[in-house]
């Protein structure tokens, strides 16, 4: 549905050249919800604006639904309104002097696909129903709450039935509770309508919840691309490990590389850890060892496995509602642990055994 190849865009500013997007390549399938995730300034908005046609890339190629819309080689740049995309911005860009219905009707009244009045009104009604704004049709947009404005922006983006929807941090202006509600609503809406979306966010949880696949960006480049669970469990590097979810991180040295049927061994401040050591890491190499707080198993006696079991003391226990978060001191290291509140409680000061299952440990280049 969308194909982006070698997309590159730099800005020349007073302080010099900023390489905002560097050789970005990805593909989105029809019906897929695809997110660009990364910290502020990593090039997400610029990528989106290039796809929309609001920014002229320096190099690369873009296809929407098999139709080339940009090619630096061929000198091709299709105009914004000819790309058949819908857009939702962080600022909503809802016109305050117009009613809800007028805002939503705008693309059908002024856009490329003008429709007869009767059909326009029907479409607007249908789409307002879809985003649960039926009652507010006549209300001036200036009298809407943040969440309602956001719905208007989504409705307006959908009304012309675009092939592709581009959304740039559409929830970031909402308060935390509403953000979670709207996130769920968007998810349901997109699933129901089987829409194809490119979603931009710096919020890892949002990306994990909404996306079929995520591209994590850092410094203008895609550093990892995959389904949410893969990004979380198998981060490609330390940046992704730290940016997506919380993690335990140890510095280590490879004692033995993995061989067929035999796991590797890494020396860490906790002791020796049995775990997969991916190729091409060599014996003696310095590495980082990561495991998630939820990957750990706690034992209250020492009858656990023979490897990857370390004794420690519970330093803190915090109940957050859905889980209990512990800090467990093992030697010099504090291990972060998360558990369900429904398994046997452990208490501050208690001596415990911490087990790290080998297949939940990830060894990354230091
Ligand atoms: N119009 C512009 N002029 C100069 N620099 C820009 C412009 N737009 C973006 N940048 C720079 O490009 C980089 C990427 O920006 P952006 O794509 O907005 O990142 P993100 O959306 O991930 O926060 C940043 O360093 C930003 O300052
Ligand atoms: Mg941005």
């Amino acid at each position: 549905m969308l194909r982006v190849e070698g997309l590159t865009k730099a800005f020349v500013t007073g302080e010099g050249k900023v390489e905002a997007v560097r050789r970005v390549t990805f593909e989105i399938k029809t019906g897929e919800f695809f997110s660009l995730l990364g910290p502020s300034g990593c090039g997400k908005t610029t990528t989106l604006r290039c796809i929309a046609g609001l920014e002229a890339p320096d190099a690369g190629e873009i296809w929407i639904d098999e139709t080339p819309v940009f090619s630096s080689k061929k000198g091709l740049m299709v105009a914004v309104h000819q790309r058949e995309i819908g857009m939702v911005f962080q600022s909503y860009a809802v016109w305050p002097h117009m009613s809800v219905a007028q805002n939503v009707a705008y693309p059908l009244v002024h856009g490329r696909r003008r429709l007869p009045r009767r059909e326009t009104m029907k479409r607007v009604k249908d789409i307002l129903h879809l985003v649960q704004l039926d009652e507010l049709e006549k209300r001036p947009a200036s009298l809407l709450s943040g969440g309602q404005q956001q719905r208007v922006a989504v409705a307006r983006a959908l009304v012309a039935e675009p092939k592709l929807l581009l959304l740039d941090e559409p929830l970031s202006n909402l308060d935390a509770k509403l953000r979670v509600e709207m996130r769920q609503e968007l998810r349901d809406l997109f699933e129901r309508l089987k829409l194809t979306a490119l979603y931009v966010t710096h919020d890892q949880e949002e990306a994990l919840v909404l996306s079929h696949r995520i591209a994590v960006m850092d410094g203008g480049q895609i550093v990892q691309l995959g389904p949410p669970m893969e990004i979380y469990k198998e981060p490609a590097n330390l940046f992704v490990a730290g940016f997506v979810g919380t993690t335990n991180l140890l510095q280590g040295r490879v004692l033995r590389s993995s061989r067929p049927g035999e796991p590797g061994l890494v020396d860490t401040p906790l002791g020796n850890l049995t775990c997969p050591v991916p190729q091409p890491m060599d014996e003696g190499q310095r590495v980082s060892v990561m495991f998630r707080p939820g990957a750990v198993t706690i034992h209250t006696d020492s009858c656990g496995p023979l490897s990857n079991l370390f004794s420690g003391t519970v330093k803190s226990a915090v109940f957050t509602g859905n889980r209990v978060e512990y800090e467990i001191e093992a030697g010099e290291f504090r291990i972060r642990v998360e558990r369900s509140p429904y398994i046997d409680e452990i208490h501050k000061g208690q001596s415990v055994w911490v087990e790290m299952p080998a297949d939940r440990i990830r060894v990354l280049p230091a």
Side-chain angles (χ1 to χ4, degrees):
M1 160 55 74
L2 172 71
R3 196 142 67 89
V4 175
E5 243 179 65
L7 185 71
T8 297
K9 173 74 185 172
F11 295 102
V12 180
T13 67
E15 286 122 55
K17 194 167 150 189
V18 182
E19 293 195 70
V21 178
R22 298 190 284 159
R23 294 176 299 283
V24 160
T25 297
F26 63 94
E27 200 168 330
I28 306 183
K29 299 186 214 71
T30 303
E32 190 174 28
F33 197 109
F34 188 99
S35 292
L36 297 176
L37 170 68
S40 172
C42 72
K44 306 181 296 294
T45 294
T46 306
T47 304
L48 207 72
R49 287 174 56 83
C50 288
I51 294 164
L54 295 166
E55 205 80 71
D58 298 330
E61 257 142 310
I62 304 171
W63 291 262
I64 296 175
D65 210 16
E66 307 293 321
T67 308
V69 295
F70 177 81
S71 168
S72 55
K73 273 186 227 138
K74 296 189 186 121
L76 172 78
M77 169 105 180
V78 171
V80 183
H81 62 275
Q82 285 173 336
R83 294 194 184 193
E84 292 191 54
I85 47 175
M87 277 183 273
V88 180
F89 301 100
Q90 183 174 5
S91 61
Y92 314 139
V94 164
W95 290 289
H97 59 283
M98 289 185 193
S99 72
V100 166
Q102 284 169 328
N103 261 287
V104 174
Y106 194 89
L108 301 181
V109 178
H110 300 274
R112 195 171 66 94
R113 298 181 62 182
R114 292 186 195 181
L115 291 179
R117 188 178 149 76
R118 183 181 283 272
E119 198 177 330
T120 298
M121 282 170 58
K122 178 169 186 316
R123 277 265 197 103
V124 169
K125 263 203 161 23
D126 289 349
I127 212 94
L128 286 178
H129 179 66
L130 219 53
V131 299
Q132 298 165 38
L133 282 177
D134 322 60
E135 310 292 310
L136 300 179
E137 206 179 326
K138 299 210 166 60
R139 183 169 298 187
S142 55
L143 301 181
L144 298 177
S145 71
Q148 289 164 340
Q149 285 188 41
Q150 212 276 327
R151 288 201 180 102
V152 172
V154 170
R156 190 181 51 195
L158 290 177
V159 79
E161 297 178 341
K163 289 179 180 159
L164 172 69
L165 215 62
L166 307 177
L167 304 103
D168 193 352
E169 314 234 12
L171 305 182
S172 60
N173 282 337
L174 307 176
D175 64 60
K177 187 160 174 288
L178 191 57
R179 202 153 65 219
V180 172
E181 279 172 28
M182 289 299 293
R183 183 169 86 192
Q184 200 54 46
E185 246 178 58
L186 274 185
R187 199 189 138 105
D188 294 346
L189 184 70
F190 277 72
E191 222 164 71
R192 238 177 326 133
L193 302 182
K194 306 245 180 304
L195 298 169
T196 311
L198 176 57
Y199 190 91
V200 158
T201 183
H202 68 274
D203 183 326
Q204 41 117 354
E205 203 174 288
E206 220 169 271
L208 293 176
V209 167
L210 286 168
S211 318
H212 296 120
R213 286 188 305 149
I214 299 172
V216 183
M217 288 185 74
D218 181 25
Q221 288 179 304
I222 292 179
V223 289
Q224 188 169 7
L225 197 162
M229 199 78 97
E230 189 178 299
I231 302 266
Y232 185 80
K233 287 185 179 170
E234 297 161 36
N237 61 27
L238 283 179
F239 170 79
V240 179
F243 190 74
V244 182
T246 49
T247 196
N248 289 293
L249 201 60
L250 288 161
Q251 299 314 312
R253 204 167 47 81
V254 176
L255 293 177
R256 190 182 69 219
S257 305
S258 298
R259 295 186 197 99
E262 193 189 5
L265 194 66
V266 177
D267 174 32
T268 77
L270 275 180
N272 290 353
L273 273 177
T274 302
C275 54
V277 174
Q279 297 294 333
M281 288 177 184
D282 293 323
E283 269 138 58
Q285 184 176 335
R286 299 213 165 272
V287 289
S288 296
V289 178
M290 69 147 283
F291 51 96
R292 300 290 186 189
V296 173
T297 308
I298 304 290
H299 301 273
T300 47
D301 54 48
S302 62
C303 336
L306 294 174
S307 61
N308 293 2
L309 191 67
F310 304 96
S311 70
T313 309
V314 181
K315 284 291 164 188
S316 73
V318 180
F319 175 51
T320 68
N322 295 320
R323 56 177 186 256
V324 191
E325 298 178 355
Y326 299 97
E327 271 198 323
I328 295 172
E329 194 170 66
E332 303 273 278
F333 193 70
R334 284 213 176 187
I335 305 171
R336 299 171 72 158
V337 178
E338 283 175 17
R339 297 168 93 214
S340 155
Y342 293 102
I343 42 183
D344 55 314
E345 246 180 286
I346 54 173
H347 303 279
K348 192 171 163 181
Q350 192 174 337
S351 294
V352 293
W353 295 83
V354 179
E355 179 200 348
M356 262 91 79
D359 59 353
R360 297 180 184 175
I361 297 172
R362 194 149 166 92
V363 177
L364 298 164

